[in-house]
Amino acid sequence: MPSIPALFAALSFWRKKEVLTLFLTLFWGMLTFAQNAQVQQLQDSIAYLRSQPQFSEKDTAHINLLNELAVNLRYYNLDTALKFAKQALELSREAEYPQGESIALLRIGDYYSDNGQSDEAINKFKEALEIADNLEDKLIPLRIVNNLSSEYTYNGDFAKALNGYLDGLERINAYLEIEENKEIL
């Protein structure tokens, strides 16, 4: 029996394109299915939380799920992602939950970035970073710095983008040093 590469080599140019198109279509379909499953799982988790007798919208688990749903919808349903991020922002502010507020602002910034509204995206990223810099979780500010720097790049402000990326490198090095010291103790 001929090997797979030999069979593929025997196909004509047009056949190769058809096989590649079929493969890419199947691959995209699997990715979409996996994404839909993740979104459905998050929606089910939110519905479950809401069905509990002691449920509070201001519960941090609820807010975190809303933010997670927003990020999972980003490339599939941007307007719905914005709706969930805004809901998470409002609830985070009411609950005085800065981590949720910072992540919600990051997601709202992503929305504006994806819609080509760089100035508004930059404002949201800066607002998110101001809050995130006071959090114990040092990875959240890193995500924000990266998105902010990328937005500066999209906006053509390469000096600010470079400064942001360098800031991110300093932050990650400081984070890794802290983590390394924790392991030693």
Side-chain angles (χ1 to χ4, degrees):
M1 171 144 190
S3 68
I4 299 293
L7 286 174
F8 193 73
L11 294 174
S12 70
F13 173 73
W14 295 111
R15 276 283 180 207
K16 288 178 187 177
K17 282 180 72 175
E18 290 173 1
V19 169
L20 183 59
T21 301
L22 177 63
F23 174 76
L24 290 175
T25 302
L26 289 173
F27 181 72
W28 183 254
M30 288 187 304
L31 284 177
T32 302
F33 177 77
Q35 185 67 30
N36 289 339
Q38 176 70 20
V39 166
Q40 186 60 53
Q41 182 180 15
L42 288 166
Q43 289 173 331
D44 291 346
S45 295
I46 291 169
Y48 175 78
L49 269 180
R50 290 177 176 171
S51 72
Q52 298 305 300
Q54 302 298 326
F55 171 72
S56 168
E57 281 193 321
K58 298 176 191 173
D59 182 355
T60 58
H62 179 246
I63 294 168
N64 291 341
L65 285 170
L66 292 172
N67 277 324
E68 188 69 23
L69 188 54
V71 74
N72 275 276
L73 288 169
R74 178 177 180 187
Y75 298 111
Y76 299 94
N77 194 335
L78 197 54
D79 291 333
T80 304
L82 177 65
K83 179 186 99 172
F84 286 116
K86 284 184 172 182
Q87 186 178 4
L89 177 62
E90 180 183 329
L91 293 171
S92 294
R93 287 179 173 162
E94 290 174 12
E96 297 180 8
Y97 178 47
Q99 181 173 328
E101 185 176 354
S102 178
I103 293 171
L105 286 164
L106 170 63
R107 299 299 159 225
I108 294 169
D110 289 341
Y111 170 84
Y112 287 117
S113 175
D114 293 345
N115 277 310
Q117 299 172 335
S118 287
D119 293 337
E120 192 62 35
I122 288 169
N123 289 337
K124 294 300 178 189
F125 291 145
K126 284 181 177 179
E127 191 178 345
L129 186 58
E130 189 174 313
I131 296 165
D133 277 338
N134 296 315
L135 299 174
E136 283 185 36
D137 185 341
K138 299 303 177 193
L139 293 179
I140 294 170
L142 284 170
R143 286 186 214 131
I144 297 167
V145 165
N146 186 62
N147 287 28
L148 178 60
S149 300
S150 294
E151 198 60 38
Y152 282 134
T153 301
Y154 303 147
N155 215 20
D157 195 340
F158 301 114
K160 284 185 180 177
L162 178 60
N163 285 334
Y165 288 128
L166 292 173
D167 177 39
L169 283 173
E170 287 177 19
R171 288 170 184 259
I172 194 68
N173 286 332
Y175 172 78
L176 291 173
E177 190 174 304
I178 290 168
E179 291 300 310
E180 187 176 288
N181 288 335
K182 284 181 185 176
E183 289 178 15
I184 293 172
L185 299 175

